[in-house]
Amino acid sequence: MKILVADDSATNRAVLGTLLTNMGHQPIFAENGREAVEVFERELPDCILMDIMMPVEDGLSATRRIKALSSGRLTPIVMVTTLDSETDLINGIEAGADDYFTKPIKMPVVKAKVRAMQRAIEVQRDIEQKTQELEKYYYEAENDMRITSHIMQRMTEPEKLDDPAFEYWLQPTAQCSGDLICAARTPGGVLHLILADGTGHGLSAAMDVIPLPQIFYAMTAIAYSIGTIAAEMNAKIKALLPVDHFIAATLIAVDPNNQTIEVWNGGNPTCWILNGRGELVHSARSKHLPIGILEPNAFDASTEKVRFSKGYRVISFSDGLPDAGNASGAELGLDRILSVFRKTAASSCMAKLKTLVAAHTNNSKTHDDISVVIIHTDKLATWADKTSHPIHSSHPPALSTTLSNGWRLEMRLGATELKVLDPIPFVIDLLKKLQVTDAHLSSLFLIISELFNNALDHGLLKLDSAIKHGENGFENYLNLRAHRLAELSQDATLELEFENQASEKYCLLKIRVKDSGDGFNHQITERGKEHAELQHGRGISLVEKIADQVVYNYSGNEVIVTYSL
Amino acid sequence: MQVTTQHHGDTITITLEGRFDFSAHRVFRGQYEASLQVPAVKHVALDMAKVEYLDSSALGMLLLLNEGARANNIQVAIINCPENVMKILNIANFGRIFKIS
């Protein structure tokens, strides 16, 4: 240690200096208080032995000044005095001295006091170093949070959440949230939404959910179903995250054309479907393990689907909402949340929910991230709305002839493929890559999916749309469909053909769909349009509206649609 | 959280007490890793009777235990779950991975 000896007596300086040198320390000297302060500033000693009675400036004054100068850094000062009085001791301690000894100097006492100071300094230095390390970690953690938060924001594409069809609320506990909400429309106008909750909260939870948005947006853009998207997310997350990390997620698809709500819920609280009066009509409870736990081959992508009518809403939230605790630890609970929807006008439910949480938690921070989504099915535009709208009643502006060399794609699917594969996303992806504009893409999606579904459901599976009517009709239809698909005969086939024909004057896409079934009577829809439009035939009459030409063969198992690009 | 273990025949019972959350990570991991190394153990029973609270990081720890157990051909059962613990395990559908009672 470098030890400053401030004493006006040359003898004392010599005695103490020798002693300290013998102890292995490095003594430096000052002859009065003022000099002591100067030497302190210049040499920054580790410890000071300070005489009280000195000329120019006494030890008490110098001690006060040194203590004021050395804020934050411990430099122990031991008072050395001949005045063995209590007043002197008190004055010294009040001036900031840490200990004292009296003259005449007794060597063992000085040695012991210096050793005690050394111990105090070592503890202090250790704490200082740890504090510095902590500060460094803290700074780094803050910086990591900032970067993660930035990446999260970019990846979730918040502008896509600006959609009149739903409201959302995300209240993170830390700078970056482990809760994630993403939403996008498929080319067919179906709203896809995901509400995900990574293990824990803060940085690691945010890291967990980072891979999700990209999968979600890329697959929604080419019309993959939410079940398939969930399966893809599971495979990716399982491969990326450590065993003890996973993501609770709810994926929701709201199809305004078919008036269906589809839900896949793995590990999140029950997703509620409410009718126009705010009454609970369906509970989509968690039926699956969260994402990232099961091996891909064990993953269950099955969803539940319900029909909606006017005024229906879908409510989904992370467990941070019902678990939000008040000062005495009582949770908000599901009943209180549900009653908000029963008692409040649809437009002000979210605001009411926020007030409820603020009041319950007394505006203090919750221990987990909160995220809530309310989907208003009434606010999703249907295809019927779009085609009746003057802007959409004519074709979108003609495409520059990037497709003009002409191409043809033919697909033939057997029973085995039809059971596991949805070919539409592949076709949409192809069209997208061939620079077909979004406006055309959504028309083409409607046409292709309608033709494909008709061929599969009515042509091969021989399902009658009339089953959909009446109590539980829709559910019965879906059950029967799943059953017949599983039993589909091995020689069943479905052909899809796409041919682009282009010249300087036109650019066409011909779509041919043929199934090996007996043919379904599309003419029923033609003859009884007014009835059919209302019920099951809406799809094909819409196809007729947006395509240039729709031609069925005689038996009705093959259709060719011509569409101008 | 307090973790105690009891060895009886081919079964080790790990009894948890208190809040089962991230702060329990080290003590829980230490105990179950030691338990999985005990020779001739075929079953691990996690007694949750005295668990007051369980969060998602606790679920993560259960998955770690499960993986370790599977590698050693050991069956894991979660027993004596209080209602609130059961609720969380049910929402996460952990019944598909563990025997829960």
Side-chain angles (χ1 to χ4, degrees), chain A residues 115-185:
Chain A
R115 277 202 197 103
M117 289 305 136
Q118 188 167 17
R119 279 198 298 272
I121 288 165
E122 276 162 8
V123 170
Q124 169 77 6
R125 295 280 148 87
D126 194 38
I127 292 170
E128 265 171 29
Q129 196 191 341
K130 286 193 170 123
T131 309
Q132 268 176 12
E133 272 170 27
L134 263 179
E135 273 170 2
K136 188 167 153 267
Y137 280 128
Y138 180 77
Y139 175 78
E140 282 175 2
E142 284 288 297
N143 201 36
D144 289 349
M145 286 271 224
R146 187 180 60 79
I147 291 160
T148 312
S149 166
H150 177 87
I151 297 171
M152 280 272 284
Q153 279 215 336
R154 288 296 164 90
M155 291 192 82
T156 51
E157 306 186 36
E159 68 279 0
K160 289 198 170 134
L161 298 179
D162 188 16
D163 184 325
F166 67 89
E167 301 168 78
Y168 74 101
W169 174 37
L170 230 169
Q171 180 180 284
T173 49
Q175 189 180 355
C176 48
S177 171
D179 279 12
L180 171 89
I181 298 170
C182 292
R185 303 291 179 103

Side-chain angles (χ1 to χ4, degrees), chain A residues 290-324:
Chain A
I291 281 174
I293 295 177
L294 289 173
E295 293 295 339
N297 57 13
F299 186 78
D300 181 358
S302 67
T303 57
E304 53 192 306
K305 220 175 197 181
V306 290
R307 262 233 146 129
F308 68 79
S309 30
K310 199 168 160 37
Y312 270 49
R313 277 173 293 163
V314 187
I315 322 293
S316 180
F317 43 84
S318 64
D319 59 359
L321 180 68
D323 293 356

Side-chain angles (χ1 to χ4, degrees), chain A residues 56-348:
Chain A
V56 188
E57 182 175 356
D58 70 16
L60 291 174
S61 162
T63 298
R64 264 184 228 107
R65 293 213 287 141
I66 287 170
K67 283 292 173 179
L69 285 168
S70 61
S71 64
R73 187 188 149 91
L74 177 73
T75 312
I77 299 180
V78 184
M79 288 286 186
V80 189
T81 176
T82 43
L83 311 170
D84 189 11
S85 78
E86 280 192 349
T87 338
D88 210 52
L89 169 66
I90 291 164
N91 286 343
I93 301 288
E94 273 181 358
D98 300 274
D99 204 348
Y100 77 106
F101 57 82
T102 53
K103 291 179 190 171
I105 295 162
K106 299 184 192 79
M107 294 299 177
V109 176
V110 177
K111 271 188 176 173
K113 300 256 170 180
V114 168
R115 277 202 197 103
M117 289 305 136
Q118 188 167 17
R119 279 198 298 272
I121 288 165
E122 276 162 8
V123 170
Q124 169 77 6
R125 295 280 148 87
D126 194 38
I127 292 170
E128 265 171 29
Q129 196 191 341
K130 286 193 170 123
T131 309
Q132 268 176 12
E133 272 170 27
L134 263 179
E135 273 170 2
K136 188 167 153 267
Y137 280 128
Y138 180 77
Y139 175 78
E140 282 175 2
E142 284 288 297
N143 201 36
D144 289 349
M145 286 271 224
R146 187 180 60 79
I147 291 160
T148 312
S149 166
H150 177 87
I151 297 171
M152 280 272 284
Q153 279 215 336
R154 288 296 164 90
M155 291 192 82
T156 51
E157 306 186 36
E159 68 279 0
K160 289 198 170 134
L161 298 179
D162 188 16
D163 184 325
F166 67 89
E167 301 168 78
Y168 74 101
W169 174 37
L170 230 169
Q171 180 180 284
T173 49
Q175 189 180 355
C176 48
S177 171
D179 279 12
L180 171 89
I181 298 170
C182 292
R185 303 291 179 103
T186 68
V190 177
L191 172 69
H192 277 188
L193 194 144
I194 181 170
L195 190 146
D197 178 0
T199 332
H201 49 81
L203 188 63
S204 70
M207 299 268 290
D208 290 353
V209 298
I210 275 182
L212 298 187
Q214 233 170 5
I215 302 171
F216 177 81
Y217 288 125
M219 292 183 79
T220 297
I222 52 173
Y224 273 103
S225 69
I226 52 167
T228 313
I229 298 176
E232 180 63 26
M233 287 177 166
N234 180 67
K236 188 69 163 258
I237 295 297
K238 175 76 185 159
L240 289 177
L241 296 191
V243 180
D244 56 338
H245 276 231
F246 53 83
I247 300 165
T250 308
L251 283 91
I252 303 165
V254 184
D255 181 346
N257 302 304
N258 296 306
Q259 297 198 296
T260 57
I261 297 162
E262 190 182 2
V263 180
W264 185 94
N265 182 351
N268 260 340
T270 299
C271 167
W272 293 326
I273 296 170
L274 310 179
N275 66 15
R277 291 186 296 279
E279 294 158 351
L280 185 61
V281 290
H282 185 85
S283 294
R285 63 175 187 81
S286 161
K287 289 192 177 144
H288 305 278
L289 281 155
I291 281 174
I293 295 177
L294 289 173
E295 293 295 339
N297 57 13
F299 186 78
D300 181 358
S302 67
T303 57
E304 53 192 306
K305 220 175 197 181
V306 290
R307 262 233 146 129
F308 68 79
S309 30
K310 199 168 160 37
Y312 270 49
R313 277 173 293 163
V314 187
I315 322 293
S316 180
F317 43 84
S318 64
D319 59 359
L321 180 68
D323 293 356
N326 63 11
S328 53
E331 292 175 350
L332 183 62
L334 292 170
D335 292 343
R336 260 184 277 193
I337 301 167
L338 195 55
S339 81
V340 166
F341 292 95
R342 217 170 28 239
K343 291 177 185 161
T344 320
S347 58
S348 41

Side-chain angles (χ1 to χ4, degrees), chain A residues 198-200 243-246 265-269 285-290 293-294 300 323 331 367, chain B residues 19 25 29 53 55-57 59-61 63-64 67 70 87-88 90-97:
Chain A
T199 332
V243 180
D244 56 338
H245 276 231
F246 53 83
N265 182 351
N268 260 340
R285 63 175 187 81
S286 161
K287 289 192 177 144
H288 305 278
L289 281 155
I293 295 177
L294 289 173
D300 181 358
D323 293 356
E331 292 175 350
H367 77 281
Chain B
R19 289 173 68 85
H25 199 275
R29 198 166 179 166
Y53 169 86
D55 73 353
S56 60
S57 38
L59 296 179
M61 287 181 249
L63 294 173
L64 282 173
E67 198 187 53
R70 260 202 328 203
K87 197 181 84 185
I88 291 165
N90 278 340
I91 289 177
N93 284 293
F94 266 40
R96 307 250 175 108
I97 306 177

